């Protein structure tokens, strides 16, 4: 692995987990309970639950491409948003959070080991590193919305604080 690839991989890892620019994603989600996950706010079109499910949908879509598979593109982007406002129960919600965080771990592992400028078989013009960067920026964007919703609801900061660490 070249020094350039390794440096880019390390930068991707920091972006994927949420270092420096914002709170780590893994610290911002696990304490969100069933009620908070499905709460609606007039200033936002989505609940925290819907945001996490949407983030997970696209994260998995991009990870499949990185792994050389060709996931089915939705007919419309609205298909990546769940219709339900909240999870069915606490156990399912915690499983949703863990599935999303496991995808981040998978992306980190790829960033640490893959040749990041390798092109993707079914995504012309894109590389493994490019899609990992896309995962990081998409998750970061929506994490900001989750933090904002938590602030609206008086549920911020999470245990351990709400600043980058």
């Amino acid at each position: 692995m070249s020094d350039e690839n390794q440096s880019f991989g390390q930068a991707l890892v920091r972006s994927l987990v949420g270092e420096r620019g914002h709170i780590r994603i893994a610290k911002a989600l696990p304490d969100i309970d069933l009620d908070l996950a499905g709460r609606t706010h007039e200033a936002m079109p989505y609940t925290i639950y819907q945001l996490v499910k949407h983030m997970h949908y696209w994260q998995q879509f991009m990870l499949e491409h990185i792994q050389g598979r060709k996931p089915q593109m939705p007919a419309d982007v609205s298909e990546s948003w769940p219709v339900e406002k909240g999870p069915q129960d606490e156990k399912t919600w915690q499983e949703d959070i863990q599935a999303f965080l496991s995808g981040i771990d998978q992306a980190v592992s790829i960033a640490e080991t893959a040749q990041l400028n390798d092109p993707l078989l079914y995504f012309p013009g894109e590389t493994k590193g490019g899609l990992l960067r896309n995962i990081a920026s998409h998750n970061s964007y929506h994490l900001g919305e989750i933090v904002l919703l938590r602030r609206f609801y008086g549920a911020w900061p999470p245990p351990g604080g709400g600043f980058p660490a």
Side-chain angles (χ1 to χ4, degrees):
M1 184 181 293
S2 71
D3 288 345
E4 181 180 284
N5 189 81
Q6 189 172 11
S7 293
F8 183 45
Q10 290 170 352
L12 282 171
V13 167
R14 287 189 298 274
S15 294
L16 287 161
V17 299
E19 280 188 10
R20 297 192 180 155
H22 55 73
I23 188 171
R24 285 179 172 258
I25 293 174
K27 284 179 63 179
L29 299 177
D31 69 302
I32 298 172
D33 64 19
L34 195 65
D35 176 61
L36 184 58
R39 194 178 301 175
T40 60
H41 192 281
E42 71 275 358
M44 296 290 284
Y46 305 109
T47 65
I48 291 172
Y49 167 78
Q50 289 171 315
L51 286 161
V52 170
K53 293 292 279 188
H54 171 78
M55 293 160 69
H56 186 234
Y57 179 96
W58 287 112
Q59 179 173 271
Q60 289 308 115
F61 181 88
M62 289 182 266
L63 285 171
E64 290 217 12
H65 269 294
I66 291 168
Q67 294 165 344
R69 295 189 291 273
K70 186 178 182 183
Q72 179 68 37
M73 183 67 132
D76 188 271
V77 76
S78 65
E79 293 176 32
S80 68
W81 291 98
V83 175
E84 318 76 46
K85 296 286 184 192
Q88 62 187 35
D89 57 50
E90 189 67 40
K91 181 180 182 293
T92 302
W93 172 233
Q94 291 305 317
E95 288 170 354
D96 290 339
I97 291 171
Q98 287 311 308
F100 173 67
L101 294 176
S102 291
I104 291 172
D105 291 342
Q106 186 179 4
V108 164
S109 178
I110 294 166
E112 292 174 331
T113 61
Q115 184 59 42
L116 299 173
N117 62 353
D118 281 351
L120 299 175
L121 184 59
Y122 299 109
F123 206 127
E126 190 56 87
T127 64
K128 290 179 179 182
L131 275 193
L132 289 171
R133 184 211 46 82
N134 197 323
I135 290 170
S137 63
H138 185 252
N139 286 348
S140 181
Y141 175 86
H142 289 302
L143 180 65
E145 292 178 309
I146 290 169
V147 170
L148 182 62
L149 282 168
R150 290 188 66 159
R151 287 181 183 274
F152 285 158
Y153 304 142
W156 191 258
F163 297 102

